[in-house]
Amino acid sequence: MLRFFDSTGLVKALVREENGHRQAASLLEEPASPRLTFATARVAALESLSKIWRITRNRGEVGKLERHFDKFAFYELDADYELARELILKSSLKGVDAGILSVAVGIARRERVVVQFLSADQDQLRAARHHSRHDKIRVVSLPVGLA
């Protein structure tokens, strides 16, 4: 299984004040193995870094995020542009949210692997649930907001 974090999931895993922190942190802390790999879109990594910096202004917290990235595969949007476009037109997702979800769906389709998609963005989760009916996407909904 491939555990794919949206930027909202990464932020929740590292910012203790976030609602759902413990759940997200436990999913991020689990060690990678032959049966469990980790991934995100490169743009989601940048979004999460930016959000953690804006919240904490602490380079140590940014460093914690980046240390977790040692076990991550990073994916670009290039191969999944058409799917992202379709998500924008059908689901009214914001561009970056559609792009991140399209990367996860594209991985499931190309690599024929179960992708566990973690997010707290409700519109993105709704679109992911739609794709879970046809693709190997397992949605993990994280709570919204601060604790």
Side-chain angles (χ1 to χ4, degrees), residues 98-109:
I100 292 167
L101 177 56
S102 73
V103 170
V105 172
I107 293 166
R109 289 178 180 178

Side-chain angles (χ1 to χ4, degrees), residues 83-101:
L83 178 55
R85 180 182 181 281
E86 178 185 321
L87 285 166
I88 290 167
L89 297 176
K90 289 185 177 179
S91 304
S92 300
L93 289 178
K94 293 182 217 164
V96 171
D97 295 333
I100 292 167
L101 177 56

Side-chain angles (χ1 to χ4, degrees), residues 1-85:
M1 179 176 66
L2 185 141
R3 185 168 288 160
F4 190 99
F5 280 82
D6 172 58
S7 57
T8 58
L10 289 167
V11 169
K12 287 195 175 295
L14 291 163
V15 177
R16 294 180 201 283
E17 296 79 20
E18 287 281 333
N19 195 8
H21 164 72
R22 286 185 185 172
Q23 177 189 7
S26 71
L27 292 167
L28 182 61
E29 294 292 336
E30 196 171 341
S33 71
R35 299 180 116 187
L36 176 65
T37 57
F38 291 80
T40 193
R42 192 167 304 278
V43 68
L46 289 172
E47 275 197 327
S48 59
L49 186 147
S50 173
K51 178 80 174 196
I52 288 169
W53 176 250
R54 287 192 324 267
I55 291 170
T56 67
R57 292 289 185 208
N58 183 322
R59 289 186 188 272
E61 294 300 314
V62 170
K64 284 181 191 175
L65 171 67
E66 291 176 323
R67 281 189 293 282
H68 284 290
F69 287 159
D70 289 345
K71 67 182 177 185
F72 273 70
F74 290 97
Y75 289 84
E76 303 296 337
L77 176 59
D78 301 359
D80 305 300
Y81 174 84
E82 288 302 321
L83 178 55
R85 180 182 181 281

